[in-house]
Amino acid sequence: MTPIICHSALEAVSLIESNETLWTHSMGATPKVLLDALALHALTKQGLTLLQLHTERAESLSAAHLKPHIRHRCYFGGAPTRELLQQGEADYVPIFLSEVPKLFRSGEQKIDTAIIQVSPPDKHGICSLGISVEATLAACQVAGKIIAHINPMMPRTHGDGFIHYNKLAAVFEQSMPLPQHLINSSDKTSQAIGQHVAQLVRDGDCLQMGIGAIPDAVLSCLTQHKNLGVHTELFSDGVLNLVELGVINNSLKKVHPGKTVTGFALGSQRLYDFVDDNPSVIFMDIEQVNDTAIIRKNPNVMSINSALQVDISGQVCADSLGTKIYSGVGGQMDFIRGAGLSEGGRSVIALPSTAANGTVSRIATVLSPGAGVVTTRAHVHYIVTEYGCAYLRAKSLRERARALIDIAHPKFREQLCQEAFEMWQLRV
């Protein structure tokens, strides 16, 4: 079957009927042009559910007048959905990122329509999911129909993210720049954290890191390292710089040696140009990328993740501010556990010592009421702030409290010591 060639995005999404469950391609491949059209089409429908991870530039679907027509169901919150989640107007599903494709493939979560953005078909009629494979490959495999924005500016990437043109139900072609994330890691706090984390990285390590100021600051401090590898759910420009310097060559990895493995990428146009038709970078199904059993096969896995709050026992909250959902469980535990089981592996949680312009300590005596424990205190290895590094593995609660208070902001340390005794009976 050949797809319906549509003359507008609205025509393409008009195949969607009331009471359908939809999946949208996420991250940098969010099909904005189709989702903007869906914001119009949804007004004529009822009972739509939109499944998603973090989306970019999809604010049109969060408008108040759409609430009776479409409900967001989020495996990870982002800017377009955060306010809806915190108001109870959208649904948050806590789940490990590695398990989202399993939900789809098992049939536990049905998908009527997948809405995606792809590169133009090649001479074999095959399109690419481009810079974001994540759970979208699985969604396409089980969806009743697939509606695609064909974007000539979408890189054709190697790995798992291929889909034949004839599998698409409707297509709309329009050239459109992809969203770019230009991270500035030059602020003093991020640089200090980056330097502390970089000291924990050894030659030959296999890295997993997120995107943002802190991961890029860490990567900027690794220019003298050798033979680093990358097996990560996402990456940005900081990785590219180290590839070009020869620091990252993936030579010591056991799984996909010589290849940078990722689930999605988000960064500059330079990054998108780099991954375009580049066989040394493979974009894989997130069920594979984030599989603990696969991660652990690489030796010396170094997992670097962030958090919103850490208590003095080492519990890590990464998805909410108290009861207010901020992001999601994501792949943090997939990689922390994989790193912990890897021969020579370690994991790091890196975060600024304070929030709210220095008025709140992110290292807390107890987590805020309702805060989600994404990483348990039994899984934690290192916690890093701009004030140093605390190693918690196999440490007692008293030893943990002391180590964490030592890397809290100085103005909160005395209070934390006092509360550690009052709440935990710990003399630190």
Side-chain angles (χ1 to χ4, degrees):
M1 270 178 57
T2 55
I4 301 168
I5 299 172
C6 301
H7 300 290
S8 70
L10 188 58
E11 182 187 351
V13 300
S14 67
L15 295 183
I16 295 168
E17 300 293 342
S18 291
N19 302 312
E20 284 198 16
T21 298
L22 318 172
W23 168 263
T24 177
H25 209 164
S26 301
M27 317 302 174
T30 304
K32 174 179 166 57
V33 65
L34 294 178
L35 297 185
D36 287 350
L38 179 61
L40 294 173
H41 179 65
L43 293 172
T44 67
K45 303 298 171 187
Q46 300 295 327
L48 296 176
T49 300
L50 184 65
L51 310 175
Q52 63 204 276
L53 293 165
H54 167 88
T55 53
E56 292 282 322
R57 305 186 303 184
E59 284 78 6
S60 62
L61 282 170
S62 301
H65 66 272
L66 284 170
K67 289 178 186 176
H69 304 276
I70 189 164
R71 179 125 182 140
H72 297 264
R73 188 172 178 86
C74 306
Y75 301 112
F76 200 95
T81 55
R82 195 165 289 139
E83 189 174 339
L84 292 174
L85 288 166
Q86 294 178 1
Q87 293 171 347
E89 300 288 351
D91 296 311
Y92 169 54
V93 182
I95 188 170
F96 298 131
L97 185 55
S98 60
E99 294 189 349
V100 177
K102 295 177 184 175
L103 275 186
F104 302 162
R105 292 188 173 114
S106 69
E108 189 173 348
Q109 174 60 67
K110 69 159 190 165
I111 296 173
D112 297 300
T113 301
I115 306 168
I116 64 175
Q117 182 178 187
V118 296
S119 69
D122 63 13
K123 64 182 181 181
H124 306 291
I126 296 172
C127 303
S128 166
L129 293 172
I131 59 171
S132 194
V133 172
E134 18 86 13
T136 295
L137 178 69
C140 289
Q141 289 169 346
V142 302
K145 57 183 175 294
I146 303 167
I147 299 171
H149 167 205
I150 294 180
N151 185 355
M153 296 185 76
M154 174 65 79
R156 181 182 181 276
T157 58
H158 289 245
D160 292 338
F162 294 117
I163 182 166
H164 200 281
Y165 181 75
N166 288 344
K167 296 280 187 183
L168 308 175
V171 298
F172 170 66
E173 183 163 346
Q174 179 182 325
S175 190
M176 187 174 182
L178 298 172
Q180 296 187 34
H181 268 232
L182 307 177
I183 303 299
N184 180 5
S185 57
S186 61
D187 67 280
K188 289 182 180 178
T189 299
S190 296
Q191 273 300 317
I193 295 170
Q195 288 166 6
H196 290 308
V197 175
Q199 289 173 4
L200 302 174
V201 179
R202 303 188 291 240
D203 288 347
D205 278 351
C206 180
L207 303 179
Q208 173 265 326
M209 77 300 293
I211 61 171
I214 291 174
D216 273 14
V218 174
L219 292 164
S220 72
C221 297
L222 299 178
T223 56
Q224 300 306 308
H225 279 65
K226 296 181 177 63
N227 299 323
L228 297 180
V230 172
H231 181 111
T232 186
E233 69 184 29
L234 71 157
F235 78 91
S236 58
D237 287 71
V239 166
L240 175 54
N241 296 335
L242 293 181
V243 169
E244 291 177 342
L245 287 170
V247 172
I248 291 174
N249 58 24
N250 298 294
S251 61
L252 301 181
K253 287 166 57 179
K254 295 287 195 292
V255 181
H256 301 294
K259 310 275 189 184
T260 292
V261 173
T262 190
F264 48 98
L266 195 57
S268 68
Q269 187 59 46
R270 174 170 159 260
L271 180 71
Y272 302 152
D273 292 341
F274 173 75
V275 301
D276 183 37
D277 201 24
N278 186 343
S280 74
V281 184
I282 51 176
F283 287 73
M284 296 186 65
D285 186 326
I286 214 69
E287 185 177 339
Q288 298 293 312
V289 176
N290 285 40
D291 186 336
T292 297
I294 292 174
I295 295 165
R296 70 180 297 182
K297 289 180 181 177
N298 283 317
N300 303 306
V301 172
M302 182 60 158
S303 168
I304 304 165
N305 289 283
S306 61
L308 297 169
Q309 190 181 40
V310 178
D311 77 10
I312 58 170
S313 76
Q315 294 186 113
V316 176
C317 171
D319 67 346
S320 68
L321 299 165
T323 57
K324 294 188 181 300
I325 299 303
Y326 185 81
S327 53
V329 171
Q332 183 171 121
M333 267 303 304
D334 294 331
F335 275 94
I336 284 180
R337 193 64 184 138
L341 294 169
S342 158
E343 183 180 347
R346 292 95 63 224
S347 65
V348 172
I349 297 290
L351 72 166
S353 65
T354 63
N357 296 317
T359 61
V360 176
S361 176
R362 288 180 184 255
I363 292 177
T365 316
V366 293
L367 295 179
S368 301
V373 177
V374 168
T375 295
T376 77
R377 51 195 174 207
H379 287 102
V380 165
H381 288 186
Y382 293 94
I383 306 287
V384 176
T385 72
E386 69 270 31
Y387 292 101
C389 172
Y391 183 57
L392 305 189
R393 187 164 184 265
K395 297 292 194 291
S396 70
L397 291 182
R398 183 175 59 82
E399 291 165 336
R400 287 161 178 252
R402 180 69 265 167
L404 286 167
I405 290 169
D406 285 344
I407 63 167
H409 192 285
K411 70 181 179 183
F412 292 107
R413 291 176 190 172
E414 186 177 343
Q415 177 187 344
L416 288 167
C417 286
Q418 185 177 339
E419 290 176 353
F421 179 72
E422 291 172 355
M423 295 184 183
W424 294 83
Q425 305 303 307
L426 296 174
R427 291 180 173 85
V428 295

